[in-house]
Amino acid sequence: MEKIYIFDTTLRDGEQSPGASMTVEQKLEAAKLLSHIGVDVIEAGFPISSPKQFEGVRRIAETVTGSTIAGLARALKKDIEKCFEALKPAPKKRIHTFIATSDIHMNYKLKKSKDEVLKLAVDAVRYAKSLTEEVEFSAEDATRSEWEFLRDIYAAVIEAGATIINVPDTVGYTIPEEFARLIGYLCKEVRGIEKAVISVHCHNDLGLATANTLEALKAGARQAEVSVNGIGERAGNASFEEIVMSLRTRQDCYGLNTTIKTEQIYHLSKTISSFTGMRVQPNKAIVGENAFAHESGIHQDGVIKHQMTYEIMTPQSIGRQHSALVLGRHSGKTGLKARLEELGYILKGKDFDKLYSKFTEIADKKKEVFDEDLIALIEEELNILPETFSLVYFSVITGNNVIPTATVKLKKQRTIMQEASTGDGPVDAVYKAIERITDTPVKLVSYSINAVTHGKDAMGGVTITVEKDKKIYRGYGVATDVIEASVHAFINAINRIHYNSTIELLEE
Ligand code: KIV
Ligand code: ZN
């Protein structure tokens, strides 16, 4: 099994994502995590580009000892000098210098000939090599460059001392088969290639960064440049977690491994997401919220019978606790039964069937049925909490220039009772009317509302706690209308009081 070196560029290319900049402290924390998880090389920043970048690289170089610390530099003496100055304290360091090699970049951006570019590259590598043992050279926009020119420039920089030659797909243009051919060509044609490691750095403009990187590794590259959650310029870079988990999960196919402690991946992903403010899409491979969530009845049934029916890796292998069986309109009886058992309810026969039919009604209205919904259902349907009072009707008049006024009708056994009240707001008005009808004055201790589904028809879930005679009672209600959800939550709490189901006894 051959080792693949993981070069993480979250703190350099990743930080170049629009709006993803991190503070120096955050970068330092992230670098510690990257080192802890087993990253071989951490590209800490581009020191000449700003004083903050310089400080970030410098602080990481002073503090993080487990991994090699790399800094980026254009093929210019002043860049390389600055880069080395920032890297100096690192026990293991690498200068990463680059210049563009495609015609479009050389003609329009650099306005230089091939010979001039080759000379700049060689001079840069030679100078970097006089400062550090490890020097990486990147031919920017390699995948749109002439292959013969790449062959010549890589051979020349290896001769000048480069120990790693990087082949960037800067604009995410290549495709797996073509990229593998290019790597094969370089392995065969570059003079002195046995003295250097071939690295690849793929961008995701066509969504092919992971596939391109993996094909290149198959073809002979031995360093993968990646970023956590795939962040980076434009559509981002090849994602750290996808490359590492692909190599691990399909060892049978690649025969390659990394020394990454994969159980720390989820935590790392969460940390980078919070530091950069870049949310991970729910269906993102490996680290998205839904990556181990199953909703359809057939899938839930399969996963309950054997996890590997619908999972190719375990959630624990990336540091997640367990898979999630999301209860929604596609869920079946097996999934519901399993979730109820997790909540401590063993329901059988008619009780279970009754609950299941009620569950399907709710699931049709809501995107996801949460534990609170199930508990409320069980209490209502199975008479665990007898409904002393139930809602018949309510109305509220409110506005910016009127005093909120509510009318509420409740039923207690066969009696219908009605009251009206004003309040500081619509919820206060209905709560006062309910207190009057039920003759149960309480103190509202907490009130929280959350959208349990999204969009215009979102369901609001209201959770309240109230205090009565020094005891605390909880109430929960769900409806598309937040006032109605509030009414249900309050009646739920009042019924609890009447049933005397104390949740917590307050200290005298
Ligand atoms: O995408 C790119 O070409 C780069 C280089 C600096 C390696 O980020
Ligand atoms: Zn890049």
Side-chain angles (χ1 to χ4, degrees):
M1 195 80 70
E2 267 192 78
K3 175 178 155 102
I4 295 302
Y5 293 93
I6 296 295
F7 174 113
D8 183 276
T9 187
T10 309
L11 304 179
R12 199 278 295 168
D13 213 323
E15 214 209 5
Q16 283 172 223
S17 314
S21 64
M22 291 177 246
T23 64
V24 169
E25 292 306 324
Q26 287 173 329
K27 287 180 86 169
L28 187 58
E29 271 320 297
K32 286 182 194 162
L33 290 182
L34 288 166
S35 174
H36 195 234
I37 201 172
V39 159
D40 299 289
V41 186
I42 298 171
E43 188 167 47
F46 191 178
I48 201 160
S49 66
S50 77
K52 277 263 168 293
Q53 283 281 328
F54 180 87
E55 196 194 334
V57 177
R58 176 83 185 189
R59 291 279 300 281
I60 292 169
E62 281 165 354
T63 320
V64 178
T65 52
S67 313
T68 297
I69 310 302
L72 187 66
R74 287 168 298 179
L76 296 173
K77 191 160 187 244
K78 60 176 182 179
D79 278 39
I80 295 169
E81 244 160 23
K82 199 77 176 168
C83 184
F84 180 64
E85 204 186 318
L87 290 173
K88 218 186 238 160
K92 291 189 278 179
K93 46 188 155 294
R94 176 184 299 183
I95 294 173
H96 176 193
T97 186
F98 73 100
I99 192 161
T101 50
S102 63
D103 285 350
I104 190 157
H105 277 240
M106 290 189 294
N107 293 340
Y108 293 98
K109 188 181 81 175
L110 301 175
K111 300 191 189 327
K112 293 203 186 307
S113 68
K114 278 186 187 147
D115 288 348
E116 286 170 311
V117 165
L118 193 139
K119 183 171 178 335
L120 281 170
V122 168
D123 289 349
V125 168
R126 196 166 287 134
Y127 180 54
K129 189 73 176 185
S130 71
L131 303 172
T132 59
E133 183 42 42
E134 267 188 41
V135 178
E136 173 168 336
F137 171 76
S138 285
E140 193 191 9
D141 205 16
T143 53
R144 292 193 299 167
S145 304
E146 251 178 41
W147 286 19
E148 291 74 18
F149 183 48
L150 286 178
R151 175 195 63 197
D152 296 346
I153 200 167
Y154 284 135
V157 294
I158 291 172
E159 203 179 334
T163 44
I164 300 99
I165 56 153
N166 185 35
V167 190
D169 182 27
T170 304
V171 288
Y173 177 71
T174 198
I175 57 171
E177 176 272 330
E178 176 188 71
F179 199 41
R181 258 195 302 117
L182 172 59
I183 300 302
Y185 169 83
L186 296 174
C187 283
K188 205 161 134 245
E189 300 294 335
V190 174
R191 197 171 4 94
I193 193 68
E194 64 289 345
K195 288 188 253 163
V197 169
I198 299 184
S199 168
V200 286
H201 174 110
C202 295
H203 278 270
N204 205 29
D205 299 65
L206 292 174
L208 292 172
T210 296
N212 288 336
T213 303
L214 291 170
E215 278 307 288
L217 297 178
K218 242 187 183 174
R222 286 296 172 265
Q223 174 177 282
E225 302 205 353
V226 294
S227 67
V228 177
N229 301 334
I231 61 172
E233 280 282 359
R234 304 180 311 281
N237 288 70
S239 115
F240 174 103
E241 58 279 5
E242 291 173 21
I243 296 299
V244 169
M245 291 312 286
S246 295
L247 293 178
R248 180 178 155 154
T249 309
R250 297 308 310 270
Q251 254 182 20
D252 60 325
C253 171
Y254 294 105
L256 300 168
N257 67 8
T258 69
T259 41
I260 298 299
K261 299 175 198 98
T262 63
E263 294 72 17
Q264 296 174 22
I265 283 179
Y266 191 56
H267 175 62
L268 179 64
S269 158
K270 285 268 182 218
T271 307
I272 296 299
S273 167
S274 111
F275 283 179
T276 56
M278 288 188 72
R279 279 193 58 219
V280 173
Q281 72 193 57
N283 60 329
K284 165 82 182 62
I286 323 287
V287 292
E289 271 324 290
N290 294 347
F292 293 91
H294 309 271
E295 182 175 323
S296 93
I298 293 172
H299 288 213
Q300 291 186 347
D301 183 50
V303 167
I304 288 165
K305 286 174 177 152
H306 195 297
Q307 207 166 344
M308 292 289 147
T309 51
Y310 288 99
E311 283 180 1
I312 56 167
M313 55 200 142
T314 64
Q316 292 80 10
S317 66
I318 62 140
R320 295 183 77 159
Q321 304 266 304
H322 46 69
S323 321
L325 299 184
V326 177
L327 293 179
R329 72 181 57 163
H330 306 293
S331 307
K333 287 188 173 176
T334 322
L336 177 64
K337 195 166 241 161
R339 175 59 63 81
L340 288 172
E341 284 178 14
E342 270 171 30
L343 293 172
Y345 296 99
I346 315 277
L347 299 185
K348 293 205 174 97
K350 277 200 199 112
D351 279 349
F352 178 74
D353 292 341
K354 190 171 165 198
L355 197 83
Y356 180 71
S357 86
K358 204 71 196 168
F359 160 79
T360 53
E361 275 172 35
I362 294 198
D364 252 348
K365 288 195 204 131
K366 295 184 63 184
K367 287 207 169 74
E368 189 176 339
V369 180
F370 294 100
D371 291 348
E372 290 91 335
D373 303 324
L374 286 181
I375 293 166
L377 246 185
I378 290 171
E379 287 180 343
E380 267 173 50
E381 290 306 302
L382 306 181
N383 260 340
I384 290 172
L385 176 66
E387 250 196 342
T388 312
F389 299 98
S390 59
L391 179 67
V392 178
Y393 159 92
F394 84 94
S395 87
V396 190
I397 298 166
T398 189
N400 61 344
N401 272 331
V402 288
I403 296 171
T405 309
T407 308
V408 180
K409 257 190 213 172
L410 298 185
K411 191 164 134 192
K412 184 179 181 188
Q413 287 160 353
R414 291 189 178 179
T415 318
I416 304 276
M417 295 167 289
Q418 175 170 326
E419 277 289 350
S421 177
T422 57
D424 293 338
V427 173
D428 187 46
V430 278
Y431 282 12
K432 283 194 172 126
I434 295 171
E435 280 179 324
R436 280 191 197 152
I437 301 175
T438 59
D439 194 21
T440 316
V442 295
K443 184 173 149 208
L444 186 64
V445 180
S446 73
Y447 173 96
S448 71
I449 182 159
N450 66 312
V452 290
T453 57
H454 305 287
K456 275 200 286 187
D457 63 344
M459 303 282 284
V462 171
T463 305
I464 58 164
T465 51
V466 298
E467 186 186 328
K468 173 83 181 153
D469 301 331
K470 297 194 172 166
K471 290 174 189 164
I472 294 289
Y473 301 87
R474 182 187 284 266
Y476 180 71
V478 176
T480 40
D481 178 293
V482 290
I483 311 281
E484 189 179 337
S486 309
V487 170
H488 286 305
F490 200 63
I491 296 171
N492 187 233
I494 297 281
N495 282 335
R496 247 178 245 283
I497 294 170
H498 283 259
Y499 187 61
N500 204 13
S501 64
T502 307
I503 289 178
E504 187 188 321
L505 204 55
L506 287 183
E507 299 276 300
E508 284 293 324

